[in-house]
Amino acid sequence: FDYLYNYQHHCTEQLTSKALPLLFVSQFKAVDEEEAQKIKANVQEAIRQLYARQLPNGGFVYWPGNASADEWITSYAGMFLVLAQEKGYAVNSNVLNKWKRFQRAAAQNWRMPDQDDSWGYWQTGVQQAYRLYTLALAGAPEQGAMNRMKEQANLPLQAKWRLAAAYALNGKTKAANELVFNAKTTVEPYSPSAGSYVYGSYDRDEAMILETLLLMGREREAFTQAQKVSKNLSREDWFSTQSTAFALMAMGRLAEKLSGT
């Protein structure tokens, strides 16, 4: 948390990564009144700054002043705004509605590329699955696009798990379980350049899998996965802001669901 709190760079990914875990910080430690106010101010400031980074078409830019939306960042920033609203923060409904329109259009227009381009195939699959998850999270699932993707042969592992999360959020646990039947919960490390469009890393992806297991009600497996995520977090080497934020969010969701058990 301190690492993210004091992070000095302000691209939209890092702005969102700093604020996202603050929605869950009270799951991990006692927060006094002074710190609660500081957290609230930081979250509200992140929300305010994100508004300024939304284009008229509803997408979000990577840097202020960019002319075109970054698809992963658009999903990521939108996810944060939806979760902030869930946690009681005021989020402008016009901003969210424009974002949902952008996401719906992108989801409907998406086509899986040729498998010959293995990295492009992998990244665009993860991109679309995450977009569909964010729409389901916002209570606006794009069912047709979800079903089309589910029928796609050779879906990347991370795309399967993210799409399963979208189905679980939509109350369709059977479809979610079919998607990830016998799917691995460990992700092979890959280079940052290989996952550059989706800001990927194996530890970020394993945290996403933890969140999906919780959404699917598979709590015993979620607890095993949480030990992996916890181990990833406690390593003393370099973290990306993205993997740190997702790991803390997933652990926060675990604490919300299982605290007291």
Side-chain angles (χ1 to χ4, degrees):
F1 272 115
D2 291 339
Y3 160 72
L4 288 173
Y5 232 35
N6 301 314
Y7 204 80
Q8 290 308 308
H9 300 282
H10 288 294
C11 72
T12 308
E13 188 278 322
Q14 288 152 348
L15 175 71
T16 307
S17 292
K18 281 175 73 160
L20 177 64
L22 296 179
L23 302 175
F24 299 92
V25 67
S26 61
Q27 298 297 328
F28 296 104
K29 61 176 191 169
V31 174
D32 63 25
E33 186 55 35
E34 187 185 346
E35 190 173 14
Q37 288 306 320
K38 189 180 169 191
I39 287 167
K40 194 174 173 187
N42 275 315
V43 172
Q44 286 168 332
E45 178 59 16
I47 292 169
R48 191 188 66 74
Q49 286 193 39
L50 284 175
Y51 291 167
R53 298 177 185 211
Q54 188 178 39
L55 296 171
N57 67 4
F60 286 88
V61 294
Y62 181 73
W63 279 113
N66 285 162
S68 57
D70 179 304
E71 290 189 31
W72 185 271
I73 294 304
T74 296
S75 292
Y76 190 45
M79 177 188 81
F80 164 69
L81 292 173
V82 169
L83 289 169
Q85 188 179 53
E86 267 181 27
K87 297 283 184 191
Y89 288 89
V91 177
N92 185 305
S93 59
N94 191 33
V95 168
L96 280 177
N97 288 335
K98 281 200 304 189
W99 170 75
K100 282 182 213 170
R101 269 201 305 277
F102 180 95
Q103 292 291 82
R104 268 199 301 273
Q108 288 164 356
N109 294 332
W110 178 84
R111 295 290 176 272
M112 199 65 153
D114 191 342
Q115 287 189 46
D116 292 346
D117 173 14
S118 60
W119 280 120
Y121 180 81
W122 175 79
Q123 290 196 82
T124 187
V126 177
Q127 181 104 271
Q128 172 73 344
Y130 181 42
R131 181 162 39 228
L132 292 168
Y133 155 87
T134 65
L135 281 165
L137 187 71
E142 195 53 52
Q143 197 67 54
M146 285 164 63
N147 292 341
R148 277 197 305 281
M149 189 169 199
K150 184 172 179 282
E151 298 310 313
Q152 192 85 35
N154 303 322
L155 273 185
L157 177 71
Q158 291 94 326
K160 281 183 183 176
W161 279 107
R162 266 300 83 169
L163 188 57
Y167 275 108
L169 283 164
N170 203 15
K172 298 193 162 39
T173 316
K174 184 170 177 281
N177 278 308
E178 282 169 6
L179 256 169
V180 292
F181 180 70
N182 277 344
K184 291 191 306 187
T185 56
T186 301
V187 177
E188 291 300 319
Y190 54 92
S191 72
S193 59
S196 56
Y197 292 131
V198 295
Y199 300 80
S201 61
Y202 79 93
D203 47 351
R204 193 275 309 271
D205 299 343
E206 287 178 351
M208 284 183 162
I209 292 170
L210 166 57
E211 189 204 354
T212 304
L213 288 167
L214 285 167
L215 289 170
M216 292 170 71
R218 289 162 61 169
E219 288 168 9
R220 189 179 296 264
E221 290 158 277
F223 201 74
T224 304
Q225 186 71 3
Q227 288 163 317
K228 253 184 257 179
V229 172
S230 179
K231 194 171 161 197
N232 290 344
L233 268 176
S234 63
R235 288 195 327 267
E236 284 297 315
D237 57 5
W238 181 82
F239 301 114
S240 78
T241 44
Q242 177 103 168
S243 61
T244 309
F246 267 102
L248 288 167
M249 177 177 94
M251 296 301 277
R253 281 189 176 283
L254 177 82
E256 278 176 343
K257 196 154 187 184
L258 299 185
S259 60
T261 65

